[in-house]
Short mmCIF file of all heavy atoms in Angstrom, two decimals:
data_model
loop_
_atom_site.label_atom_id
_atom_site.label_comp_id
_atom_site.label_asym_id
_atom_site.label_seq_id
_atom_site.Cartn_x
_atom_site.Cartn_y
_atom_site.Cartn_z
N ASP K 28 119.20 107.03 102.47
CA ASP K 28 120.60 107.07 102.05
C ASP K 28 121.42 106.28 103.05
O ASP K 28 121.41 106.57 104.22
CB ASP K 28 121.10 108.51 102.03
CG ASP K 28 120.29 109.33 101.04
OD1 ASP K 28 119.42 108.77 100.35
OD2 ASP K 28 120.52 110.53 100.99
N GLU K 29 122.13 105.28 102.55
CA GLU K 29 122.94 104.49 103.47
C GLU K 29 124.39 104.88 103.40
O GLU K 29 125.15 104.63 104.30
CB GLU K 29 122.77 103.02 103.14
CG GLU K 29 121.34 102.59 103.44
CD GLU K 29 121.23 101.14 103.80
OE1 GLU K 29 122.14 100.39 103.44
OE2 GLU K 29 120.25 100.79 104.44
N ALA K 30 124.80 105.44 102.30
CA ALA K 30 126.21 105.83 102.18
C ALA K 30 126.34 106.84 101.06
O ALA K 30 125.66 106.74 100.04
CB ALA K 30 127.06 104.61 101.85
N ASP K 31 127.14 107.82 101.24
CA ASP K 31 127.41 108.80 100.20
C ASP K 31 128.83 108.64 99.69
O ASP K 31 129.77 108.55 100.47
CB ASP K 31 127.28 110.22 100.76
CG ASP K 31 125.87 110.74 100.56
OD1 ASP K 31 125.16 110.19 99.71
OD2 ASP K 31 125.51 111.68 101.27
N THR K 32 128.99 108.59 98.40
CA THR K 32 130.35 108.55 97.86
C THR K 32 130.44 109.65 96.82
O THR K 32 129.47 109.95 96.15
CB THR K 32 130.65 107.21 97.16
OG1 THR K 32 129.66 107.01 96.16
CG2 THR K 32 130.70 106.05 98.12
N SER K 33 131.57 110.23 96.67
CA SER K 33 131.76 111.22 95.62
C SER K 33 132.61 110.61 94.52
O SER K 33 133.57 109.90 94.80
CB SER K 33 132.49 112.44 96.16
OG SER K 33 131.62 113.14 96.98
N THR K 34 132.19 110.83 93.30
CA THR K 34 133.01 110.34 92.20
C THR K 34 133.65 111.54 91.53
O THR K 34 132.96 112.45 91.10
CB THR K 34 132.15 109.58 91.16
OG1 THR K 34 131.01 110.36 90.93
CG2 THR K 34 131.77 108.20 91.61
N SER K 35 134.96 111.54 91.46
CA SER K 35 135.62 112.67 90.82
C SER K 35 135.83 112.37 89.34
O SER K 35 135.93 113.25 88.51
CB SER K 35 136.97 112.93 91.49
OG SER K 35 137.67 111.74 91.53
N GLU K 36 135.84 111.06 89.02
CA GLU K 36 136.07 110.61 87.65
C GLU K 36 134.85 110.95 86.79
O GLU K 36 133.73 110.75 87.21
CB GLU K 36 136.14 109.09 87.75
CG GLU K 36 137.05 108.43 86.81
CD GLU K 36 136.90 106.93 87.05
OE1 GLU K 36 137.38 106.46 88.10
OE2 GLU K 36 136.28 106.29 86.22
N THR K 37 135.05 111.46 85.62
CA THR K 37 133.90 111.66 84.74
C THR K 37 134.12 110.95 83.43
O THR K 37 135.24 110.76 82.99
CB THR K 37 133.66 113.16 84.43
OG1 THR K 37 134.86 113.71 83.96
CG2 THR K 37 133.18 113.91 85.65
N ASN K 38 133.02 110.54 82.81
CA ASN K 38 133.08 109.89 81.52
C ASN K 38 133.61 110.89 80.49
O ASN K 38 133.34 112.09 80.60
CB ASN K 38 131.66 109.42 81.17
CG ASN K 38 131.61 108.66 79.88
OD1 ASN K 38 131.78 109.27 78.82
ND2 ASN K 38 131.39 107.38 79.97
N GLY K 39 134.29 110.38 79.47
CA GLY K 39 134.87 111.23 78.45
C GLY K 39 133.85 112.16 77.80
O GLY K 39 134.17 113.28 77.43
N ALA K 40 132.60 111.67 77.67
CA ALA K 40 131.60 112.46 76.96
C ALA K 40 130.92 113.48 77.86
O ALA K 40 130.15 114.30 77.39
CB ALA K 40 130.54 111.53 76.38
N ALA K 41 131.20 113.44 79.19
CA ALA K 41 130.49 114.28 80.13
C ALA K 41 130.57 115.75 79.74
O ALA K 41 131.64 116.29 79.53
CB ALA K 41 131.04 114.09 81.53
N GLY K 42 129.42 116.40 79.65
CA GLY K 42 129.39 117.83 79.42
C GLY K 42 129.67 118.22 77.98
O GLY K 42 129.49 119.37 77.62
N SER K 43 130.13 117.29 77.13
CA SER K 43 130.52 117.69 75.80
C SER K 43 129.41 117.47 74.77
O SER K 43 129.40 118.07 73.74
CB SER K 43 131.78 116.95 75.37
OG SER K 43 131.52 115.57 75.43
N GLU K 44 128.49 116.57 75.06
CA GLU K 44 127.39 116.31 74.13
C GLU K 44 126.23 115.71 74.92
O GLU K 44 126.34 115.47 76.11
CB GLU K 44 127.85 115.38 73.01
CG GLU K 44 128.39 114.07 73.53
CD GLU K 44 129.03 113.23 72.43
OE1 GLU K 44 129.94 113.76 71.76
OE2 GLU K 44 128.62 112.09 72.27
N GLU K 45 125.13 115.47 74.19
CA GLU K 45 123.96 114.89 74.82
C GLU K 45 124.32 113.54 75.47
O GLU K 45 124.94 112.70 74.83
CB GLU K 45 122.93 114.66 73.71
CG GLU K 45 121.55 114.38 74.19
CD GLU K 45 120.58 114.36 73.02
OE1 GLU K 45 120.78 113.53 72.11
OE2 GLU K 45 119.65 115.16 73.02
N ARG K 46 123.93 113.37 76.71
CA ARG K 46 124.26 112.12 77.40
C ARG K 46 123.43 110.97 76.89
O ARG K 46 122.23 111.11 76.69
CB ARG K 46 123.97 112.28 78.89
CG ARG K 46 125.16 112.64 79.73
CD ARG K 46 125.67 114.02 79.39
NE ARG K 46 126.87 114.34 80.11
CZ ARG K 46 126.86 114.82 81.34
NH1 ARG K 46 125.73 115.04 81.95
NH2 ARG K 46 127.99 115.07 81.95
N SER K 47 124.07 109.81 76.73
CA SER K 47 123.32 108.63 76.29
C SER K 47 123.19 107.67 77.47
O SER K 47 124.19 107.30 78.10
CB SER K 47 124.04 107.95 75.13
OG SER K 47 125.36 107.62 75.52
N ILE K 48 121.95 107.33 77.79
CA ILE K 48 121.70 106.40 78.90
C ILE K 48 120.95 105.20 78.35
O ILE K 48 119.99 105.35 77.58
CB ILE K 48 120.86 107.08 80.01
CG1 ILE K 48 121.57 108.34 80.52
CG2 ILE K 48 120.60 106.11 81.16
CD1 ILE K 48 120.78 109.14 81.53
N THR K 49 121.38 104.01 78.74
CA THR K 49 120.64 102.79 78.39
C THR K 49 120.02 102.24 79.67
O THR K 49 120.67 102.22 80.72
CB THR K 49 121.59 101.73 77.78
OG1 THR K 49 122.11 102.26 76.56
CG2 THR K 49 120.84 100.44 77.47
N LEU K 50 118.77 101.84 79.57
CA LEU K 50 118.10 101.14 80.69
C LEU K 50 117.90 99.70 80.23
O LEU K 50 117.18 99.44 79.26
CB LEU K 50 116.75 101.79 81.00
CG LEU K 50 115.80 101.00 81.91
CD1 LEU K 50 116.41 100.74 83.29
CD2 LEU K 50 114.46 101.73 82.07
N MET K 51 118.56 98.77 80.92
CA MET K 51 118.39 97.34 80.64
C MET K 51 117.49 96.78 81.73
O MET K 51 117.91 96.63 82.88
CB MET K 51 119.76 96.64 80.67
CG MET K 51 119.70 95.14 80.48
SD MET K 51 119.19 94.64 78.83
CE MET K 51 120.65 95.11 77.89
N VAL K 52 116.25 96.52 81.37
CA VAL K 52 115.30 96.02 82.37
C VAL K 52 115.51 94.52 82.59
O VAL K 52 116.22 93.87 81.82
CB VAL K 52 113.83 96.33 81.97
CG1 VAL K 52 113.60 97.83 81.88
CG2 VAL K 52 113.45 95.63 80.66
N GLY K 53 114.85 93.99 83.63
CA GLY K 53 114.99 92.56 83.93
C GLY K 53 114.30 91.69 82.90
O GLY K 53 114.79 90.62 82.54
N VAL K 54 113.15 92.17 82.41
CA VAL K 54 112.40 91.44 81.39
C VAL K 54 111.48 92.43 80.69
O VAL K 54 110.96 93.35 81.32
CB VAL K 54 111.62 90.24 82.00
CG1 VAL K 54 110.55 90.69 82.99
CG2 VAL K 54 111.01 89.36 80.93
N LYS K 55 111.31 92.23 79.39
CA LYS K 55 110.46 93.15 78.60
C LYS K 55 108.98 92.99 78.94
O LYS K 55 108.53 91.88 79.24
CB LYS K 55 110.62 92.79 77.12
CG LYS K 55 111.55 93.68 76.35
CD LYS K 55 111.22 93.64 74.88
CE LYS K 55 111.90 92.49 74.21
NZ LYS K 55 112.01 92.39 72.83
N GLY K 56 108.22 94.09 78.87
CA GLY K 56 106.76 94.01 78.95
C GLY K 56 106.20 93.82 80.35
O GLY K 56 104.99 93.65 80.50
N ASP K 57 107.02 93.83 81.36
CA ASP K 57 106.57 93.67 82.75
C ASP K 57 106.16 95.06 83.26
O ASP K 57 106.99 95.98 83.23
CB ASP K 57 107.76 93.08 83.53
CG ASP K 57 107.53 92.98 85.03
OD1 ASP K 57 106.66 93.69 85.56
OD2 ASP K 57 108.26 92.20 85.66
N PRO K 58 104.91 95.25 83.71
CA PRO K 58 104.48 96.58 84.13
C PRO K 58 105.38 97.23 85.21
O PRO K 58 105.46 98.45 85.30
CB PRO K 58 103.07 96.35 84.67
CG PRO K 58 102.60 95.11 83.97
CD PRO K 58 103.82 94.26 83.77
N PHE K 59 106.04 96.38 86.00
CA PHE K 59 106.98 96.93 86.98
C PHE K 59 108.08 97.71 86.26
O PHE K 59 108.39 98.85 86.61
CB PHE K 59 107.60 95.80 87.82
CG PHE K 59 108.74 96.25 88.71
CD1 PHE K 59 108.49 96.81 89.95
CD2 PHE K 59 110.07 96.13 88.29
CE1 PHE K 59 109.55 97.25 90.76
CE2 PHE K 59 111.11 96.56 89.09
CZ PHE K 59 110.85 97.12 90.33
N TYR K 60 108.65 97.09 85.22
CA TYR K 60 109.74 97.76 84.50
C TYR K 60 109.23 98.86 83.58
O TYR K 60 109.95 99.81 83.29
CB TYR K 60 110.58 96.75 83.73
CG TYR K 60 111.37 95.83 84.64
CD1 TYR K 60 111.10 94.46 84.68
CD2 TYR K 60 112.35 96.32 85.49
CE1 TYR K 60 111.81 93.62 85.52
CE2 TYR K 60 113.06 95.49 86.34
CZ TYR K 60 112.78 94.13 86.35
OH TYR K 60 113.48 93.31 87.20
N VAL K 61 107.99 98.72 83.11
CA VAL K 61 107.41 99.80 82.30
C VAL K 61 107.32 101.06 83.18
O VAL K 61 107.68 102.16 82.76
CB VAL K 61 106.01 99.41 81.76
CG1 VAL K 61 105.34 100.61 81.10
CG2 VAL K 61 106.13 98.24 80.78
N SER K 62 106.87 100.89 84.42
CA SER K 62 106.76 102.04 85.33
C SER K 62 108.13 102.62 85.65
O SER K 62 108.30 103.84 85.76
CB SER K 62 106.05 101.61 86.62
OG SER K 62 104.81 101.03 86.31
N MET K 63 109.11 101.73 85.77
CA MET K 63 110.48 102.20 86.01
C MET K 63 110.95 103.03 84.81
O MET K 63 111.56 104.10 84.96
CB MET K 63 111.41 101.00 86.22
CG MET K 63 112.83 101.41 86.50
SD MET K 63 113.95 100.01 86.48
CE MET K 63 113.54 99.22 88.00
N GLU K 64 110.63 102.54 83.62
CA GLU K 64 111.01 103.27 82.40
C GLU K 64 110.36 104.66 82.38
O GLU K 64 111.00 105.64 81.98
CB GLU K 64 110.57 102.47 81.16
CG GLU K 64 110.80 103.20 79.87
CD GLU K 64 110.28 102.45 78.63
OE1 GLU K 64 110.08 101.22 78.70
OE2 GLU K 64 110.07 103.12 77.61
N CYS K 65 109.11 104.74 82.81
CA CYS K 65 108.41 106.04 82.80
C CYS K 65 109.17 107.05 83.68
O CYS K 65 109.35 108.21 83.29
CB CYS K 65 106.98 105.89 83.31
SG CYS K 65 105.96 104.77 82.33
N GLY K 66 109.61 106.60 84.86
CA GLY K 66 110.36 107.50 85.74
C GLY K 66 111.70 107.88 85.13
O GLY K 66 112.13 109.05 85.18
N ALA K 67 112.36 106.90 84.53
CA ALA K 67 113.67 107.16 83.92
C ALA K 67 113.52 108.13 82.75
O ALA K 67 114.32 109.05 82.57
CB ALA K 67 114.29 105.84 83.45
N ARG K 68 112.46 107.95 81.95
CA ARG K 68 112.22 108.83 80.80
C ARG K 68 112.00 110.28 81.25
O ARG K 68 112.53 111.21 80.67
CB ARG K 68 110.96 108.40 80.04
CG ARG K 68 111.23 107.35 79.09
CD ARG K 68 110.31 107.26 77.89
NE ARG K 68 110.67 106.06 77.17
CZ ARG K 68 111.76 105.92 76.45
NH1 ARG K 68 112.59 106.92 76.28
NH2 ARG K 68 112.06 104.77 75.87
#
Side-chain angles (χ1 to χ4, degrees):
D28 299 356
E29 294 208 338
D31 268 340
T32 56
S33 288
T34 46
S35 51
E36 213 182 288
T37 53
N38 183 289
S43 58
E44 57 188 56
E45 194 172 59
R46 263 66 185 276
S47 57
I48 303 176
T49 297
L50 167 61
M51 176 68 71
V52 298
V54 63
K55 259 204 275 195
D57 173 339
F59 171 84
Y60 292 115
V61 172
S62 305
M63 181 189 287
E64 175 184 339
C65 300
R68 276 207 187 287

